[in-house]
Amino acid sequence: MPLTPSPRARAAANNSPFTPPRTTRHHDPEWHIERKPTKSGSLQAAFEALKVSAASKARAPNPHPKTASSPKSNIATRTPLRLDLGVSEWALTGTGTTIGQSPVKKRGGKATKTTIRVNGDRFIPTRSASSPTTTSKIDRPVSRPNSQASGNRPGSSTGRPIPADNTVLRGGVFGSDEDTNASSHSLGDDSEPISYERPNPESLAYQSSVAAACGVDLSTRILAFKPAAPESSKPIDLRTQYNRPLKPVASAAQFRRRILTAPERVLDAPGLVDDYYLNLLDWSSGNQVAIGLERNVYVWNAESGTVSQLLETSPDTYVSSVKWSADGAYVAVGVSTGDVQIWDVEDQTKLRTMSSHESRVGVMSWNKAILSTGARSGSIYNHDVRIADHKIAELNGHTSEVCGLEWRSDGAMLASGGNDNLVNIWDARSLTTPKWTKTNHKAAVKALAWCPWQLNLLASGGGNYDGCIHFWNSTTGARVNSIDAGSQVTSLKWSTSYRELVSCHGLPDNQLTVWSYPTLVRNVEIPAHETRILHSALSPDGQTLATCASDENLKFWKLFEKRAGGAGNSRSGTGSGKGVGMSKQMTIR
């Protein structure tokens, strides 16, 4: 039967990458090899029986007659030889009959001979046989012992077994036994059962010991995206989980306090001097309101609602300022002549007169037994009311009238403002020069207020051509916030119950404005008076603000009403009459 040399045999014989590629020869059907049966069983005897027939030489035409006599003509023009081989019981690899193929007999030949077609008299190896791409295309061998009996495996050209000692073909070219088994399953051999290898008990014991040492459970995953959610100890109510409102239950309206825009009480204040630089209203810790009306000073008791006249100055003078002491027992009265009078409200007697200033005293402030006074000349004096020689310090930091003066609650700092548009912050330990001098305002600074919950925070307000409120850090001297109020700022008061500040204004709106701090949000704006607000005072409980204006009205506004159940209600039994609940904490000589 016609066969060609096996490609697997050529690949096995061609191991050198330096062998030149095989040349292509034309197939000559006249060149045959005939096999004859031999008596000897050796392979050598089979090759000795090769004979070249003379008839084949005569039948072969010469395609190049001119080169017939050339010595090389035998190489160039000789046609393939016809070799007759005898059939032996020894079958050569790649030349014998293959299982599953039937021998092809030559037409007109003898029935006892088998004709095999070859391309030449020798095998010429090719370089492609050693190429990894070529070897990868070689069909993997069948290692089953019954492969020849059952036929070729699907997808392979031959069913020849590979010797067991050929490690190159098994491991290098065709892979390991595991790869062979895997390929057999991938080729669709469903009849072959899947083999399972039992794990080594020693490896399992080692893995178990390592897992126990590391604290790892082999039945769970080592890596996870996130830890498991903690279990709730209480039963979960799905209604509360999924039926929650869009906004919190406690809305802002629940905490929004009500601010009355109408005054709680209105009193007449006839004869009030319309002067921006004066300070004629103050509210004592004993819940009494003192107001200066021209030459007179009146005291209104907030508990009983009674009004009493405390004093009257000489006809050629007028009251320029009033200020209660911290204990609420004494009131200081500044006069246009520069004198300062100390009055005992309970006894309605004048205790002493301190003459030091040469011009009117427009503003005063108490620090325990020390009374600071600011005059029109721009000077500030500190008076110790317990001693005869009362003047203990002189502060020169302003060049114009001092209209704002305020001690801090701990007595460590003193703030002053004047008509020279300056804000001076004085350290009580060194009063020779101010610690800080601020020039940001563009008008007179009368409104000054220290924050009750942040002691180093000072608020100052400018006059008509400024209309701004600035906030200062007395420790660093830095300005921390600012508000453009848009109108003249005549007074500032901090709330003791809320983080808020109320400002009193003059032209053009004459309003009260409540600000949140530090957000500086305007909570409410109330048109208060028909004319500019001149003075304001906060009640001792911090809820009510008293204001007076040149329209000669004294109004009381409940701006900081405390929540239900909160402390700080109006003091009862204080200041309701002469000698009731009033304690004197200092002795005035």
Side-chain angles (χ1 to χ4, degrees):
M1 62 180 179
L3 294 175
T4 59
S6 173
R8 185 168 295 156
R10 290 200 306 268
N14 185 21
N15 293 329
S16 175
F18 302 101
T19 304
R22 180 176 60 87
T23 58
T24 306
R25 294 178 178 268
H26 297 284
H27 177 69
D28 187 2
E30 298 298 331
W31 190 71
H32 300 280
I33 298 177
E34 296 180 357
R35 292 182 179 179
K36 295 181 179 181
T38 58
K39 296 180 180 180
S40 176
S42 63
L43 186 63
Q44 184 68 24
F47 281 100
E48 291 178 355
L50 294 176
K51 294 180 180 181
V52 180
S53 64
S56 62
K57 292 183 181 180
R59 289 195 305 266
N62 187 5
H64 304 281
K66 294 182 181 182
T67 59
S69 61
S70 174
K72 297 181 180 181
S73 62
N74 294 334
I75 299 175
T77 62
R78 183 175 298 174
T79 59
L81 298 179
R82 179 184 179 91
L83 300 180
D84 296 330
L85 294 177
V87 179
S88 173
E89 63 268 18
W90 296 91
L92 295 178
T93 302
T95 59
T97 59
T98 305
I99 298 175
Q101 298 179 1
S102 59
V104 179
K105 295 183 179 181
K106 184 179 179 182
R107 295 179 181 180
K110 295 180 180 181
T112 59
K113 293 184 179 180
T114 303
T115 303
I116 303 174
R117 295 186 180 187
V118 294
N119 291 336
D121 55 351
R122 63 187 176 92
F123 290 109
I124 300 176
T126 60
R127 187 179 301 272
S128 61
S130 61
S131 174
T133 58
T134 305
T135 58
S136 63
K137 296 180 181 179
I138 298 176
D139 298 319
R140 296 181 181 271
V142 179
S143 60
R144 294 193 300 271
N146 299 328
S147 60
Q148 294 188 7
S150 59
N152 293 339
R153 187 179 58 185
S156 64
S157 60
T158 60
R160 291 173 291 123
I162 297 176
D165 56 349
N166 195 341
T167 59
V168 176
L169 293 180
R170 285 189 175 274
V173 177
F174 300 107
S176 60
D177 295 336
E178 292 81 5
D179 297 337
T180 306
N181 295 334
S183 64
S184 64
H185 294 301
S186 64
L187 290 175
D189 192 0
D190 297 336
S191 63
E192 189 72 17
I194 300 175
S195 61
Y196 172 75
E197 183 179 358
R198 180 176 297 178
N200 190 1
E202 296 182 357
S203 64
L204 293 178
Y206 175 73
Q207 293 178 4
S208 301
S209 62
V210 171
C214 297
V216 178
D217 189 5
L218 292 179
S219 61
T220 60
R221 293 185 302 172
I222 299 177
L223 299 179
F225 289 104
K226 59 182 179 180
E231 297 182 358
S232 176
S233 58
K234 298 180 180 180
I236 300 176
D237 188 4
L238 296 181
R239 291 176 297 179
T240 60
Q241 289 291 326
Y242 296 101
N243 294 339
R244 287 180 287 185
L246 296 178
K247 293 183 179 180
V249 177
S251 60
Q254 182 177 352
F255 297 102
R256 187 184 301 128
R257 58 190 181 87
R258 181 184 179 186
I259 301 178
L260 297 176
T261 58
E264 188 180 35
R265 186 188 299 266
V266 180
L267 300 177
D268 292 334
L272 184 68
V273 179
D274 186 8
D275 194 334
Y276 171 80
Y277 301 100
L278 305 183
N279 292 270
L280 302 174
L281 183 67
D282 196 22
W283 204 325
S284 74
S285 60
N287 204 16
Q288 299 185 88
V289 177
I291 184 171
L293 301 176
E294 292 183 346
R295 296 163 49 199
N296 304 305
V297 174
Y298 293 92
V299 176
W300 177 73
N301 193 318
E303 295 292 334
S304 60
T306 60
V307 179
S308 62
Q309 183 180 5
L310 181 62
L311 63 93
E312 182 179 3
T313 62
S314 58
D316 55 347
T317 62
Y318 60 91
V319 177
S320 57
S321 59
V322 294
K323 191 67 176 179
W324 286 96
S325 62
D327 54 7
Y330 308 102
V331 63
V333 179
V335 187
S336 59
T337 58
D339 296 337
V340 177
Q341 301 175 7
I342 307 297
W343 286 78
D344 187 343
V345 177
E346 184 180 2
D347 298 336
Q348 290 191 348
T349 58
K350 183 172 67 173
L351 299 180
R352 64 180 302 175
T353 299
M354 298 179 294
S355 299
S356 55
H357 291 285
E358 298 179 355
S359 58
R360 69 178 183 182
V361 179
V363 62
M364 295 181 295
S365 180
W366 285 90
N367 178 23
K368 298 180 181 178
I370 306 298
L371 177 63
S372 299
T373 59
R376 198 171 198 174
S377 61
S379 59
I380 301 173
Y381 293 164
N382 285 351
H383 307 272
D384 191 343
V385 298
R386 298 168 298 180
I387 58 178
D389 192 5
H390 53 84
K391 182 180 177 181
I392 58 175
E394 181 176 354
L395 288 69
N396 296 316
H398 293 277
T399 58
S400 185
E401 182 173 7
V402 179
C403 52
L405 202 61
E406 190 75 22
W407 276 99
R408 202 165 77 178
S409 59
D410 60 351
M413 292 283 181
L414 174 67
S416 63
N419 197 24
D420 53 2
N421 309 339
L422 297 181
V423 176
N424 288 331
I425 301 176
W426 307 81
D427 192 340
R429 298 168 296 182
S430 177
L431 297 175
T432 55
T433 57
K435 181 178 181 180
W436 308 107
T437 299
K438 300 302 175 183
T439 61
N440 298 77
H441 288 287
K442 300 177 182 179
V445 181
K446 177 186 178 182
L448 294 171
W450 289 97
C451 181
W453 67 81
Q454 185 177 344
L455 295 182
N456 64 344
L457 180 61
L458 174 68
S460 63
N464 193 23
Y465 295 100
D466 182 57
C468 293
I469 303 173
H470 297 310
F471 299 88
W472 312 96
N473 187 325
S474 62
T475 304
T476 62
R479 181 176 61 174
V480 295
N481 267 317
S482 290
I483 302 174
D484 187 2
S487 61
Q488 182 185 40
V489 182
T490 60
S491 179
L492 290 173
K493 298 296 178 183
W494 288 96
S495 172
T496 57
S497 304
Y498 303 92
R499 297 296 177 95
E500 294 176 349
L501 174 75
V502 59
S503 59
C504 302
H505 301 272
L507 298 173
D509 297 327
N510 311 318
Q511 79 276 11
L512 292 174
T513 305
V514 179
W515 309 86
S516 292
Y517 191 86
T519 60
L520 304 182
V521 175
R522 183 186 284 105
N523 292 340
V524 67
E525 186 172 286
I526 304 172
H529 291 267
E530 296 179 358
T531 58
R532 66 176 179 177
I533 302 174
L534 295 174
H535 318 291
S536 69
L538 193 63
S539 64
D541 62 358
Q543 299 188 64
T544 306
L545 181 73
T547 61
C548 60
S550 57
D551 57 2
E552 299 183 350
N553 286 329
L554 177 60
K555 297 182 180 181
F556 297 86
W557 311 85
K558 200 158 190 177
L559 301 177
F560 306 111
E561 185 175 5
K562 296 183 179 179
R563 300 184 181 95
N569 294 329
S570 298
R571 299 184 182 181
S572 60
T574 59
S576 58
K578 287 184 63 176
V580 179
M582 188 175 295
S583 61
K584 299 179 180 179
Q585 299 178 0
M586 60 182 175
T587 301
I588 298 178
R589 298 178 182 273

